[in-house]
Amino acid sequence: MEPLALIGLVALLLVKEAGVPIPVPGDLVVIGAGAALAGDPPLAAVALILILGAGYLGGTVQFELMRGTVRRPLLALLARVGVPSERVETLAARLRRSGARGVAVARMTPGVRVGAIAACVLADLPTGTFVRGLVIGNSVFVAAHFAL
């Protein structure tokens, strides 16, 4: 893989993880990168580290941006469409109790991982708890896809 292609791939994944809706499945990008680099283990290791770093940084950026600007409007929207605040609080309390482990499991679960960051924002998790779970969950999920 050319260095410029790797930089572009990492940039794409960083932007996706930060929450920009790009219609390219990130999972397939990671699987493709792993397949493209299968013949070059040293470069594959570097690529995996860069991809993981992009996921950690992008996920944290999305978490902080949503926490600062989207949390209140999202709670108001949920109330407007009929989701009672008690239901949101019950689910948020469950996520808070599970802490970093719950974040990690959510980030490892296909179909759930996309909404996991918003759920962490709604639950008002501390940044440290969120980041620990993000690092563990993304590491397992991304490394498994890269290895495929």
Side-chain angles (χ1 to χ4, degrees):
M1 178 179 285
E2 294 292 322
L4 192 56
L6 180 56
I7 291 168
L9 181 137
V10 169
L12 172 72
L13 291 171
L14 173 67
V15 170
K16 283 186 67 62
E17 287 292 325
V20 177
I22 297 173
V24 175
D27 307 353
L28 293 180
V29 172
V30 172
I31 290 169
L37 294 165
D40 190 353
L43 185 56
V46 169
L48 181 57
I49 290 167
L50 292 173
I51 289 168
L52 287 170
Y56 306 153
L57 180 60
T60 303
V61 166
Q62 182 182 163
F63 178 78
E64 291 298 335
L65 288 174
M66 287 185 75
R67 169 179 269 175
T69 60
V70 177
R71 186 172 189 274
R72 282 195 181 130
L74 186 54
L75 286 168
L77 176 66
L78 288 171
R80 222 152 99 204
V81 297
V83 179
S85 60
E86 296 81 24
R87 178 70 177 146
V88 173
E89 183 49 39
T90 299
L91 295 171
R94 183 184 299 171
L95 183 55
R96 282 191 295 272
R97 278 192 309 276
S98 67
R101 180 178 36 85
V103 176
V105 169
R107 289 298 292 171
M108 284 187 264
T109 307
V112 174
R113 68 185 318 272
V114 173
I117 295 176
C120 292
V121 168
L122 288 175
D124 202 22
L125 287 181
T127 300
T129 300
F130 169 76
V131 170
R132 282 191 305 278
L134 174 73
V135 167
I136 294 166
N138 272 18
S139 295
V140 171
F141 187 83
V142 171
H145 280 74
F146 192 83
L148 283 175

